[in-house]
Every structure is written in C-alpha cells, then in structure tokens.
Amino acid sequence: MAYQEIGTTIQSVQQSIDHILETTANLPEETIRFKPAEDEWSIMQILSHLAEAIPYWLGEVEIVIAMPGAEWGRGLQDPARLAAVTDTDKLAVEDVMKQVEELKYKVESGLGNLDEETLSKESPHRNFAKFGNKPVSYIVDHFIDEHVSGHYDQIKRNLSKIQ
C-alpha cells in the first residue's frame, strides 16, 4: 500500500467522525437505538463500537511500532469488541457521543508523529499470517480510516431504512 501523508489520514478520520456526529446529533433517541433488522446494528451500537474499536487499533499501532514483528489484530468474536455492541440500552447517548467526539483527539495524538519509516514497519496479523506481513500504514488506513468511514456509511444506510 502506498504511503499516504499521515496528516491527510488524520484529517480523513476526523472528517468522518464529524460527519457521524453531525448526522446523529439531532436524531431522536428512538432513532439512534433502532435496529433495522435482527442481524444489523443500531446507530447506538455503531457509535459504541467506534468508541471501543478506534482506541483498540491505536493501541495495536503502538504495539507494532514498539515491537516490530509482533502480531497484531483480533477476530470478530473478541470479547471487548462484542461487549461494545451488547446491552447498549444501558448506555447514555450523550456519553457515547462524547466518546466518539474524543476519538478525533485520540487519533491525532496517537498518529500525529508517525513518519514514513515508522508507517512502513511490517508485522503479521495474528489471524491471517497467510497473507504475509502488513505495514503499520495498512493498520492505520484499513482499521482506522476506512473503518470509521465505513461505519458512517452504515449509519446513513440505517437512516435510509427509517425515513
């Protein structure tokens, strides 16, 4: 994957978070908690997932930078990942929105000082070693930038099923 200026990536993530917050800010709580189908997440679950997942992936970046060659990643059945989307009825919308807002600063803090050399360090995914090593930039681009953007699209799909 080609090197992308980290500032551009940070800006992209922050823009996606801003879009998410703007889109959800004035929604009624019942809309935020609405599940379009049994096998689809509510907007609340998406927000809670982002509040858990992005710090997780920032931590994985830190580990790979500190220990090049260390395995990174997790599976879909990861307990922390599942906990973030379970029992979201107990979570306050305002609190989760604030956590999502804070992601903008966590991303900037966690990625802002990475240079091209650091972003090119490679390590294997713990579940998909058969695909070979991936650079830190892959984690940043795929599991942070594209991840947030993809969930923004998911929120828009959810809303299209209501309106």
Side-chain angles (χ1 to χ4, degrees):
M1 180 171 285
Y3 168 73
Q4 177 177 311
E5 163 64 36
I6 195 65
T8 303
T9 301
I10 292 168
Q11 185 177 27
S12 174
V13 174
Q14 291 175 330
Q15 185 176 39
S16 292
I17 292 169
D18 283 339
H19 289 319
I20 288 168
L21 293 171
E22 290 164 8
T23 301
T24 59
N26 296 313
L27 293 175
E29 187 164 338
E30 58 270 11
T31 299
I32 290 174
R33 295 188 185 279
F34 172 76
K35 283 183 60 133
E38 185 59 37
D39 61 344
E40 294 181 56
W41 287 352
S42 67
I43 291 171
M44 183 62 163
Q45 287 173 296
I46 297 165
L47 296 172
S48 180
H49 168 71
L50 286 171
E52 184 276 332
I54 301 311
Y56 172 83
W57 290 113
L58 290 169
E60 292 294 275
V61 167
E62 286 179 17
I63 290 169
V64 170
I65 291 169
M67 299 179 298
E71 292 183 333
W72 58 272
R74 64 180 176 180
L76 295 176
Q77 300 306 312
D78 178 79
R81 180 186 177 279
L82 293 175
V85 297
T86 305
D87 295 330
T88 55
D89 290 341
K90 298 176 183 176
L91 302 175
V93 172
E94 184 177 306
D95 292 345
V96 176
M97 297 282 278
K98 186 177 291 187
Q99 292 170 4
V100 172
E101 171 79 27
E102 290 168 359
L103 292 175
K104 295 189 314 185
Y105 310 104
K106 290 179 180 183
V107 166
E108 186 165 6
S109 173
L111 304 177
N113 294 322
L114 302 184
D115 58 21
E116 186 171 357
E117 180 182 344
T118 303
L119 289 165
S120 65
K121 291 181 180 181
E122 295 188 350
S123 291
H125 189 287
R126 66 177 42 106
N127 299 321
F128 304 110
K130 66 183 178 183
F131 296 120
N133 290 348
K134 296 290 184 190
V136 171
S137 63
Y138 179 84
I139 303 169
V140 171
D141 292 343
H142 184 70
F143 291 97
I144 297 176
D145 189 14
E146 292 174 16
H147 192 165
V148 175
S149 175
H151 283 302
Y152 173 54
D153 291 340
Q154 185 182 15
I155 288 169
K156 291 189 296 186
R157 283 191 307 274
N158 277 18
L159 290 173
S160 75
K161 294 175 183 181
I162 296 171
Q163 299 170 347

